[in-house]
Amino acid sequence: MTTFADKAISYYSSLEAPAGLPPGIGVMNPYQEPEVQRIVREFFTKFYSDTTPRVYVLGINPGRFGAGVTGISFTTPQNLDRYCGIPNSLPPTPELSSRFIYQIVEAFGGAEAFYGQFFLTSLFPLALVKKGDNGAPKNYNFYDDRQTTETLWPAITDTVRTQLTFGAARHVAVCLGRKNETYLRRLNDQQGFFGRIVTLDHPRYILQYRSKETAAYIDRYIRTLADCLA
C-alpha cells in the first residue's frame, strides 16, 4: 500500500528550482539539504502514513522563514519542534503566518488531529525571494509580476496536479489569501481540480494588519475548516 506519506516524500525529495525566472527573482530549495530531507521524511511518516483523503489548504508560495527553511508548509523550525514533536538543528526563524497557523492547529486538537484531516501546501512549492532596497532578500509572491506568474504557471499547474495524487478530498479546497484566490480559481477553471473553493484571509495579513481581531479570525478559520469536513 502506497501511503500519502510515501507520495509526498518522493515528490519533495525530487523538487528542482525552475529555470527562466525574470532577473532578480531567486528560489530557495531547502529539500536538497540533508536535515530538511530528514524532517520531511519524519513529518510525513508521523502524520500521513495512511491513505485517508485530506482537505487541501493552499497558500501562495512558501515564505523564506517558514517552509523555505524547514520544507514544511507554514512551519518554522521552532514550531516544528514545539507543536509537531520534531526536534531539529535549524536556526529559529520568525514568521507571522506560522504563528497564526499553529493557533489553528492547536484549536483543532493538535498536530495529529489537524494533519489527519488537512494538508497545508501552496500553489508553488518553493520560496521566492527578491533583493530589497537594503540589499537583503525579501519574500516574493509568484503573482507579484506578470512575467513571473506566466513563467511559473506550468509549474504551478503540475505542482497542484501532482499533489492531488497524494490523497486529496477533491470536493473542496481552502484558499489562503484573497489575491491568491484569483489564481486558484483561474487554475481550477482550467483544470477542474476541485469541486468548490472557499477562501480565508491570509495568516500574514491577519497578524500584520488585523491583529486586534485575531480571535475572530481564528473562529472564522475553525468554522470554515470544520464545514469543509462535513
Side-chain angles (χ1 to χ4, degrees):
M1 178 183 69
T2 303
T3 66
F4 193 116
D6 295 328
K7 296 172 185 176
I9 292 167
S10 175
Y11 170 76
Y12 287 112
S13 66
S14 65
L15 277 178
E16 296 182 358
L21 284 171
I25 308 300
V27 180
M28 297 173 65
N29 184 359
Y31 301 102
Q32 298 175 339
E33 301 298 326
E35 175 71 343
V36 173
Q37 293 170 2
R38 178 193 67 80
I39 287 168
V40 167
R41 287 193 302 271
E42 188 169 341
F43 177 86
F44 282 100
T45 300
K46 183 171 185 176
F47 298 116
Y48 292 90
S49 287
D50 55 54
T51 57
T52 303
R54 265 72 168 186
V55 171
Y56 281 33
V57 182
L58 298 111
I60 306 159
N61 46 260
R64 73 190 193 281
F65 291 142
V69 175
T70 64
I72 305 300
S73 293
F74 294 97
T75 304
T76 58
Q78 58 271 37
N79 285 345
L80 186 68
D81 187 353
R82 178 179 179 183
Y83 296 104
C84 301
I86 301 177
N88 58 89
S89 61
L90 300 172
T93 54
E95 190 186 61
L96 290 176
S97 295
S98 184
R99 186 194 311 170
F100 182 86
I101 284 294
Y102 276 92
Q103 292 182 72
I104 303 301
V105 169
E106 287 296 281
F108 261 91
E112 186 172 348
F114 180 84
Y115 290 121
Q117 301 172 96
F118 300 100
F119 175 48
L120 290 173
T121 186
S122 300
L123 293 190
F124 183 69
L126 299 174
L128 300 174
V129 293
K130 186 175 184 178
K131 187 178 292 186
D133 294 337
N134 62 356
K138 64 177 183 179
N139 286 334
Y140 200 72
N141 298 320
F142 73 80
Y143 55 54
D144 283 345
D145 74 86
R146 179 172 294 182
Q147 186 179 355
T148 297
T149 305
E150 297 310 313
T151 298
L152 291 178
W153 197 250
I156 288 169
T157 304
D158 287 344
T159 290
V160 178
R161 179 185 291 115
T162 301
Q163 291 193 22
L164 290 178
T165 68
F166 299 172
R170 295 180 59 166
H171 67 288
V172 65
V174 181
C175 177
L176 300 185
R178 300 293 169 181
K179 189 168 182 180
N180 195 35
E181 179 183 16
T182 300
Y183 297 90
L184 180 52
R185 289 195 181 279
R186 169 184 164 187
L187 180 67
N188 205 49
D189 287 345
Q190 292 173 352
Q191 304 295 330
F193 287 150
F194 302 104
R196 64 188 177 98
I197 293 166
V198 295
T199 302
L200 290 163
D201 288 301
H202 197 280
R204 183 179 62 249
Y205 167 82
I206 294 168
L207 290 191
Q208 188 168 351
Y209 299 108
R210 296 288 187 269
S211 60
K212 293 182 180 179
E213 304 168 50
T214 298
Y217 277 106
I218 289 174
D219 182 66
R220 189 175 305 163
Y221 260 68
I222 296 302
R223 286 188 286 105
T224 300
L225 293 174
D227 286 346
C228 291
L229 298 174

